[in-house]
Amino acid sequence: MSQKASRVSTDIDYEKDGKQSGFLRVPHSRNESAWGTLMVPITVVKNGSGPTVLFTGANHGDEYEGPVAEMKLARQLTADQVSGRIIIMHALNLPALRAGTRLSPIDSKNMNRIFPGDRNGTITEVIAHYVHSELLPLSDAVVDLHSGGKSMTLMPCAVIHQLPDPAQMTKTLAALEAFGAPLGLVLEELDAEGMLDTAAEETGKVFVSSELGGGGTISVETQAIADIGVRNLLKHFGVIEGEPVSRSSLGLAPTRLMQVPDGRHFVAARASGIYEPFVEIGDEVTDSQAIGQIHFFEEPERPPMVLEAGRGGTVIARWIPGHVTSGDCVAVTAVGYTPS
Ligand code: CA
C-alpha cells in the first residue's frame, strides 16, 4: 500500500473559489477515545488568482491576540473581498490553546521547535508536518502571530529576521512596516532551529511574526494592533483592497524599527529565587546596567544576585512571574535598526 503524504485529512479544497470553514483531522486514538480525532479548525477564502497568505495563531497556546484577530478575519471576510487566497489556522496547536499552555499537553512538544515536523511523529509533529508539506508550498507569505505568553511580556511588535537574500529581506522588511505595530523588530533568535519562521524563510516566503504583549492575557491596545495588523498585511500583499492603515492616521507615532542583533541582548537568570525588576518595558539601559535582582527567600541574610544587561538599549521584553529559575530569560534589549 502506498503511503499518503500526510496522516492529516481534510475536506477543504484549496483550489476552490469561495469561503470554506472546516477542519484538519489529525488521528488521535487514545484511552478515552478509541477512534478519536483532533479537529483543528481551518478557514480558506479564495477568489481567482493572486498571492496566498497563510495566517497561523496559537503556535503557543498561551498567546491570544493572534487567534482572536484571525478568528475575526475568518468570520468577516467574504470571497468577493479577496484577490488570491487566505488560509487561516488560528489554533495551530489546538491542544495547547485548549489548555492555555505554551506546549502541547498531549506530547509536551513546542510547536515552534519541531518544524519541518514528522508524518509519523507525535501529534504536534504531525500537525507541523502537514503545515510544512501541504500549506507552505501553497503560500507566498506566512504570518505567525505570537505574544509573550504567561512568562514574558514584550513591547508590542511585528517581528522578522535578518535574511541572507537581499530581495527576500527587502520584501520582508516592507511587510514588517506595513503591519503597523509600535515596534518593528529584526530579531536574532537564540534558538532558530525547528521554528516555523525558519522553515518559511528557507523556502523563500515572506515571513512576518509578532510579539504582541504577553502575560497570558489580552490588552485593548495589543488586540487592536493585531486586528489592524492582519488587515494591513492583506492590503499590503494586494489580497484585499485598500491601503494599510497608517499609524499617523490614528494619531500614533510611526513604527520604530529596531533590532536584537545578537545573544548579548538577552539577559538570563543565573540563580533561582524571587525576581525584582529594576527596569520596565521601554526603559533605556546602558551596557552592564543593573536591570534586576534575585532574592534568596530561604537565606534572607544573603545579598540578592544583581543581574546586568549585556548590551544596552531599549528594554523590549521582561520576565513576568515573581519566581525565577536559573536560565530564565528575564530581559531583552534592542537597538535602532541599521540595514546590513
Ligand atoms: Ca510565542
Side-chain angles (χ1 to χ4, degrees), residues 245-325:
V245 176
S246 70
R247 292 181 54 80
S248 61
S249 73
L250 301 170
L252 300 168
T255 297
R256 192 171 159 198
L257 285 184
M258 301 193 83
Q259 62 183 346
V260 176
D262 60 61
R264 294 173 298 177
H265 289 263
F266 295 80
V267 183
R270 289 177 288 107
S272 302
I274 297 173
Y275 182 62
E276 177 195 358
F278 293 161
V279 294
E280 287 293 355
I281 301 286
D283 288 350
E284 301 291 330
V285 298
T286 55
D287 290 0
S288 306
Q289 181 177 329
I291 55 103
Q293 60 185 358
I294 299 169
H295 294 272
F296 304 100
F297 53 88
E298 289 175 303
E299 304 168 81
E301 292 179 22
R302 182 175 166 190
M305 176 189 282
V306 175
L307 299 179
E308 296 175 350
R311 298 302 301 273
T314 305
V315 178
I316 59 151
R318 86 159 174 88
W319 182 251
I320 286 288
H323 285 261
V324 74
T325 298

Side-chain angles (χ1 to χ4, degrees), residues 60 63 102 146-147:
H60 294 132
E63 306 174 3
R102 178 175 178 83
H146 288 249
S147 305

Side-chain angles (χ1 to χ4, degrees), residues 8-25 40-46 85-89 130 134-135 138:
V8 176
S9 59
T10 184
D11 292 332
I12 297 283
D13 178 354
Y14 296 104
E15 303 306 325
K16 193 170 106 182
D17 278 344
K19 179 170 169 175
Q20 303 170 76
S21 292
F23 298 94
L24 302 182
R25 285 191 280 277
V40 182
I42 183 166
T43 302
V44 178
V45 190
K46 181 178 179 297
R85 180 167 50 187
I86 302 168
I87 304 173
I88 300 174
M89 278 187 75
Y130 183 87
E134 302 290 330
L135 301 185
L138 300 178

Side-chain angles (χ1 to χ4, degrees), residues 59-60 62-63 102 112 144-149 209-211:
N59 184 328
H60 294 132
D62 59 349
E63 306 174 3
R102 178 175 178 83
N112 220 23
D144 184 38
L145 296 180
H146 288 249
S147 305
S209 183
S210 68
E211 295 291 354

Side-chain angles (χ1 to χ4, degrees), residues 178-194:
F179 190 98
L183 173 63
L185 191 63
V186 183
L187 178 66
E188 178 66 27
E189 300 281 352
L190 280 178
D191 180 22
E193 201 171 312

Side-chain angles (χ1 to χ4, degrees), residues 21-71:
S21 292
F23 298 94
L24 302 182
R25 285 191 280 277
V26 188
H28 186 33
S29 173
R30 56 203 191 275
N31 286 334
E32 304 77 30
S33 182
W35 293 356
T37 299
L38 182 74
M39 307 281 281
V40 182
I42 183 166
T43 302
V44 178
V45 190
K46 181 178 179 297
N47 187 20
S49 57
T52 294
V53 183
L54 170 63
F55 285 97
T56 51
N59 184 328
H60 294 132
D62 59 349
E63 306 174 3
Y64 302 109
E65 289 91 342
V68 168
E70 291 171 4
M71 281 189 286

